[in-house]
Amino acid sequence: MLASCPDVKTAQAYVMVAADFPSTDLVNAQLVAKMNGMKLDVVSASIDELLQAIEQTIRILHVFNPIEIRNNVVLYLTMETAKHDGFKSIMTGDGADELFAGYRFFQRMSQPELQKDLERIWKIMHFPSLAISKALGISLQTPFLDVTVIEYAKSISPDLKVHEENGKKHGKWVLRKTFENMLPPSIAWRDKDAMQDGSGTNGLTHFFDSLIQDSSLF
């Protein structure tokens, strides 16, 4: 994520990782930040900090689905840190996977199936980052969800979203192709990782029983 402030000339990048679990995002985030001359703040959360953040995330979103919570606690902690650091606005990549077929399961579909499923997703897609940013009082910027970007993405053929490159299928192919000369191949053509794998919060599954009773969260 990128955070900015009217009083700061350059934006700051953030990556959130769980301190006690392996993360696949950290090295890539460090490399991209260095290439672009950006300061990177690594938000390393302990188990106790994650559990406290999970409680707050549940309060904001009113959901108890473990997958949703594992993903959205990453957003909560990152936004909370950016606000604490004095930043007024934060940018996320919400919508890229939904508009450009980034999820791995899309790669198993035929082109007609892919288009049909994308159209279904476009009707129901929603992004908890908006509710989290509102609750924390930090402005949220989502360039992929700009109306112009959405309409243009919808007009692109599904063959340009899931496409073969060097003998391997990739989702978000057109986005990867756009940035392949700006990023090393290890990043531009890396396999899609779920947010909980990238941050390491996948290991939280066994800790959900440590949360306080549901009835006391609201």
Side-chain angles (χ1 to χ4, degrees):
M1 295 185 194
L2 295 178
S4 64
C5 177
D7 300 326
V8 180
K9 293 184 179 180
T10 57
Q12 178 167 314
Y14 284 88
V15 61
M16 185 260 149
V17 298
D20 300 300
F21 299 102
S23 162
T24 62
D25 280 349
L26 182 55
V27 172
N28 292 308
Q30 290 171 326
L31 178 57
V32 172
K34 183 177 181 179
M35 289 176 60
N36 291 278
M38 298 183 67
K39 180 181 178 183
L40 176 68
D41 188 347
V42 180
V43 183
S44 182
S46 67
I47 290 296
D48 287 342
E49 290 169 329
L50 284 166
L51 290 176
Q52 292 174 17
I54 286 172
E55 180 180 330
Q56 294 305 315
T57 303
I58 291 173
R59 287 181 187 275
I60 294 169
L61 300 180
H62 293 192
V63 297
F64 296 90
N65 183 296
I67 295 176
E68 288 192 60
I69 297 302
R70 281 192 321 232
N71 288 344
N72 293 314
V73 71
V74 175
L75 298 171
Y76 175 87
L77 281 167
T78 306
M79 291 184 188
E80 182 186 48
T81 301
K83 182 182 178 181
H84 181 267
D85 290 345
F87 290 97
K88 307 297 183 183
S89 179
I90 195 160
M91 181 186 297
T92 68
D94 287 333
D97 288 318
E98 290 78 7
L99 291 166
F100 294 94
Y103 297 116
R104 287 189 181 187
F105 64 83
F106 286 132
Q107 298 174 26
R108 300 190 295 268
M109 298 180 178
S110 66
Q111 295 300 315
E113 290 173 332
L114 174 59
Q115 182 63 28
K116 183 177 180 180
D117 207 46
L118 284 171
E119 291 176 359
R120 177 188 64 82
I121 288 173
W122 295 339
K123 293 178 182 178
I124 61 174
M125 63 181 182
H126 68 284
F127 302 95
S129 52
L130 181 59
I132 294 172
S133 64
K134 185 176 180 180
L136 289 172
I138 187 169
S139 175
L140 178 66
Q141 309 301 318
T142 53
F144 285 112
L145 296 180
D146 180 87
V147 173
T148 303
V149 175
I150 290 176
E151 292 307 312
Y152 183 68
K154 289 180 177 179
S155 72
I156 296 175
S157 167
D159 178 56
L160 297 179
K161 295 175 180 177
V162 174
H163 195 84
E164 190 171 297
E165 183 77 15
N166 295 324
K168 185 176 181 179
K169 274 190 175 183
H170 291 279
K172 292 189 292 193
W173 181 86
V174 67
L175 287 183
R176 296 173 186 270
K177 204 68 178 173
T178 299
F179 291 100
E180 69 174 350
N181 292 327
M182 301 170 63
L183 296 169
S186 61
I187 293 179
W189 298 102
R190 65 180 292 206
D191 289 335
K192 164 68 178 176
D193 281 332
M195 187 182 292
Q196 62 265 26
D197 294 324
S199 63
T201 58
N202 192 40
L204 283 174
T205 303
H206 300 300
F207 290 91
F208 272 85
D209 289 340
S210 301
L211 293 175
I212 60 176
Q213 293 297 315
D214 296 354
S215 60
S216 64
L217 287 174
F218 305 112

